[in-house]
Amino acid sequence: MQDCLFCKIANGEIPSKILYQDAEAVAFADINPQAPHHVLLIPRRHLASMKEVTEQDGALLAHLFVVANKLAQDLGLSERGYRFVTNVGPDAGQSVFHLHFHLLGGRPFGWPPG
């Protein structure tokens, strides 16, 4: 997608603090962090949201979860816990329409979320 902010970050067109990248995924620091550690994890391939995910995306989703687990370990979040979440649509708070997951940690979280 030409106008997608996250596609541009994944392609290196917009600078970002990249924490992980490979052929399938990119992880970078959120510019508006909601926790001491707030990482956005995206697939390189453009999907607007979880609504577009199909069974054929199973391997990609598994890879994203494995990368999230590695990042959480690398950031020292595994022992105390962390949150890994995606927002789907405007009512859920999705503001960039490229599938992305938030990896948040470094502070306690309540339930239900605000």
Side-chain angles (χ1 to χ4, degrees):
M1 295 286 291
Q2 287 180 296
D3 294 331
C4 175
L5 174 68
F6 287 175
C7 284
K8 289 179 179 181
I9 290 172
N11 291 329
E13 298 170 42
I14 295 176
S16 186
K17 183 179 177 186
I18 303 294
L19 302 172
Y20 176 90
Q21 61 182 325
D22 63 26
E24 300 294 322
V26 178
F28 52 94
D30 193 299
I31 61 169
N32 185 26
Q34 301 300 305
H37 296 284
H38 189 165
V39 178
L40 297 176
L41 179 57
I42 66 169
R44 285 189 183 273
R45 181 168 57 91
H46 184 86
L47 293 163
S49 76
M50 197 170 74
K51 290 189 322 185
E52 292 187 359
V53 171
T54 68
E55 287 185 30
Q56 287 74 32
D57 297 312
L60 173 62
L61 293 175
H63 180 65
L64 292 171
F65 274 70
V66 169
V67 170
N69 184 42
K70 179 186 178 340
L71 286 165
Q73 289 175 12
D74 292 349
L75 293 169
L77 303 175
S78 293
E79 186 176 319
R80 302 258 319 144
Y82 55 91
R83 185 165 285 171
F84 189 58
V85 64
T86 187
N87 300 319
V88 183
D91 281 358
Q94 185 178 8
S95 59
V96 177
F97 289 87
H98 182 119
L99 177 64
H100 60 284
F101 293 88
H102 299 259
L103 173 63
L104 301 125
R107 70 169 175 86
F109 296 98
W111 194 261

